[in-house]
Amino acid sequence: TAEPTPDPEPSVKSYQIGDLYDKDGVKGLIFRVNEDGESGLIVSLTEPEQMKAWSTEFITTDATVRNCGEQNTALIYTLQDWQSKYPAFVWCKSLGSGWYIPSIDELRELLIIGSGNSFSHAIYNHKATPFAKDYHYLSSTEMDQWWVYTVDAKSHKQSANYKQYTYHVRAIRSF
């Protein structure tokens, strides 16, 4: 008697930078792919219609992590009355669970990749909101009670700016 042939392994999608991720109600453009090709980070297809402030008050929150915006964002969500004092984070939360404002290092990576021709084409092809090239984007990383780190979308240089000023914002999440 012949042995049964094993079922072929289910095919697993291997992603690339610029691909549209659209699974279980979560949509975004992939800007980082991990070595497994099946996981990484996506960026929201849109940003708020109006630029947002990091905070309406000048206090130290300890959201100082430079390489993990998920930690910074989670910390803001634990603050009393955060919904009335942290406009950018309120917008981010409105996207659903898992989304967060990128840390300064994640934001620089996103904007560097986002300025490339292939990613710009992906933005256009998937009808996503293009990055505002002549403006600063907000990170989740604060410098101190007065300042938050931002990144210039054109030069990719980071700087510290007042928390109460308004900036462009994008959310990211893992997939």
Side-chain angles (χ1 to χ4, degrees):
T1 63
E3 289 187 28
T5 346
D7 288 336
E9 299 228 359
S11 65
V12 177
K13 174 129 174 87
S14 184
Y15 292 100
Q16 295 183 16
I17 292 173
D19 284 350
L20 177 68
Y21 181 86
D22 186 359
K23 191 173 181 182
D24 301 324
V26 175
K27 276 186 173 184
L29 283 180
I30 296 171
F31 76 94
R32 181 196 292 169
V33 180
N34 297 335
E35 286 183 25
D36 64 8
E38 301 168 24
S39 61
L41 292 175
I42 60 174
V43 61
S44 58
L45 297 176
T46 62
E47 55 187 62
E49 289 182 24
Q50 306 269 323
M51 294 189 294
K52 301 287 181 191
W54 196 88
S55 175
T56 60
E57 62 183 355
F58 291 123
I59 65 163
T60 302
T61 66
D62 295 323
T64 57
V65 179
R66 295 185 60 88
N67 61 358
C68 184
E70 192 169 18
Q71 273 183 265
N72 292 332
T73 301
L75 185 107
I76 296 301
Y77 293 159
T78 67
L79 300 176
Q80 185 173 3
D81 299 326
W82 71 268
Q83 297 95 332
S84 63
K85 298 177 182 175
Y86 296 86
F89 294 88
V90 170
W91 170 79
C92 183
K93 187 75 164 176
S94 76
L95 298 177
S97 93
W99 291 99
Y100 59 92
I101 296 178
S103 68
I104 187 63
D105 293 346
E106 291 167 324
L107 181 60
R108 281 197 76 239
E109 175 187 355
L110 168 63
L111 292 174
I112 288 168
I113 290 167
S115 66
N117 282 338
S118 61
F119 203 85
S120 295
H121 289 304
I123 287 172
Y124 177 78
N125 291 338
H126 297 295
K127 297 177 176 51
T129 304
F131 291 103
K133 295 289 184 202
D134 294 323
Y135 294 94
H136 283 252
Y137 274 80
L138 189 63
S139 82
S140 62
T141 309
E142 77 176 348
M143 183 178 178
D144 59 24
Q145 72 184 47
W146 306 101
W147 305 93
V148 62
Y149 289 106
T150 63
V151 175
D152 182 289
K154 194 173 190 175
S155 70
H156 311 131
K157 291 182 181 175
Q158 78 174 36
S159 58
N161 287 289
Y162 278 117
K163 290 178 177 180
Q164 291 184 335
Y165 289 173
T166 59
Y167 308 95
H168 285 272
V169 183
R170 266 323 226 281
I172 66 174
R173 67 170 285 158
S174 58
F175 69 92

